[in-house]
Amino acid sequence: MMKHKSKKVAVFGMMIALAFILSYIESLLPPLITALPGMKIGLANLVIVVCLYLLGSKEAFILTIFRVLLVAFTFGNFTMMLFSAAGAVLSFLVMFLLKMTKKFSTIGISCAGGVAHNIGQMLVAYFTLGASLLYYLPFLFISGCISGILIGIAGAVLLKHLPKNLINP
Amino acid sequence: MKKNDLLLILGFLAAALLLYGIYHVFFAQDGANVIVTVDGTEYAVLSLTDSTVLKITGVNGENTLVIENGAAYISDADCPDQLCTFHKPISKNGESIICMPNRIVIKVVKATSAADLDAIAN
């Protein structure tokens, strides 16, 4: 039992580190389409999707919050944290609910997560900067969808190839 | 990939198209004025028909706004990411350029004075 628990703690710690570093790597990449800032691949979401399946929803939620706080305190500021938190939490909630229905694969779940992430950020932008931003929304739907699908495919491959005894001895 | 996934993805794409359609039918008209706000407060109102160059002092730095040929764009910014300088020129009602680091929002709006409304009615 003790061994089992410490293994889980180690894996979880590694996932937090991974999500953190992937967020950092992503912040270094140039924007994909310069006319539409805010389009991102959401690399850190890959870790969250894998965590959702491998460790469970409670752990995935803690991971989401930790990632947002770590990234904001290290590289960002309060405004960025607000945007990032709204996107991340909404994305997690949608993915969690869709996973509960058991009707979708990682691809569908991660796609919805990507779209939800963009909607969450848009909501904060709407309240802080005004309604003029709404014309971005259709583009953010599509970009969230595409990046979500890519992350979902990568997540499915990862889940298939990660050793089965990663958590359970 | 399950059938449900595909339906979900198609649903999102349809929603995006719908939003785009709604926006363009109801909101997108050629604008007449450009409103510049810094950190939520109004900084300047400019007409799109007059070519001008305006230096905007933001929260953390300075951006240069250029209006020419009925469109507005940011030519220079001293923020690190330069996102606003890459933005395409804006001219339609509701379009905007945002510089997050300097908290600057450039937005195109209709002129809604009585004279303009009369001009449309005539």
Side-chain angles (χ1 to χ4, degrees), chain B residues 48-51 67-72 91:
Chain B
L48 268 179
T49 48
D50 307 327
S51 294
I67 298 178
E68 57 182 25
N69 304 325
S91 60

Side-chain angles (χ1 to χ4, degrees), chain A residues 20-31 40 43 75, chain B residues 81:
Chain A
F20 181 39
I21 209 70
L22 285 177
S23 298
Y24 175 62
I25 289 171
E26 184 154 328
S27 73
L28 297 178
L29 299 174
K40 284 184 174 176
L43 288 173
F75 313 114
Chain B
D81 60 14

Side-chain angles (χ1 to χ4, degrees), chain A residues 132-145:
Chain A
S132 57
L133 277 164
L134 285 179
Y135 98 100
Y136 264 6
L137 201 55
F139 300 103
L140 288 180
F141 256 70
I142 293 171
S143 79
C145 212

Side-chain angles (χ1 to χ4, degrees), chain A residues 23 40 64-65 67-69 71-72 77-91 117 120-121 124:
Chain A
S23 298
K40 284 184 174 176
T64 305
I65 300 294
R67 182 190 71 83
V68 169
L69 291 178
V71 172
N77 49 43
F78 182 73
T79 319
M80 188 189 136
M81 185 164 85
L82 218 60
F83 275 81
S84 162
V89 170
L90 195 66
S91 163
H117 189 275
Q121 296 203 322
V124 176

Side-chain angles (χ1 to χ4, degrees), chain B residues 92-116:
Chain B
K92 293 243 188 299
N93 182 29
E95 282 185 321
S96 58
I97 302 178
I98 286 131
C99 171
M100 274 310 285
N102 290 345
R103 297 285 212 128
I104 295 172
V105 179
I106 319 279
K107 187 183 171 189
V108 180
V109 291
K110 281 185 292 193
T112 46
S113 64
D116 284 292

Side-chain angles (χ1 to χ4, degrees), chain A residues 103-105 108 132-133 135 138, chain B residues 4-5 8 16 23 94 98 107:
Chain A
K103 285 186 177 139
F104 300 96
S105 75
S132 57
L133 277 164
Y135 98 100
Chain B
N4 283 328
D5 293 335
L8 189 75
Y23 185 84
I98 286 131
K107 187 183 171 189

Side-chain angles (χ1 to χ4, degrees), chain A residues 150-165:
Chain A
L150 295 178
I151 293 294
I153 293 170
V157 173
L158 257 178
L159 285 167
K160 197 174 149 200
H161 290 281
L162 280 174
K164 292 280 177 290
N165 61 355

Side-chain angles (χ1 to χ4, degrees), chain B residues 58-75:
Chain B
V59 174
N60 293 315
E62 208 170 62
N63 296 28
T64 308
L65 170 74
V66 178
I67 298 178
E68 57 182 25
N69 304 325
Y73 64 93
I74 300 277
S75 65

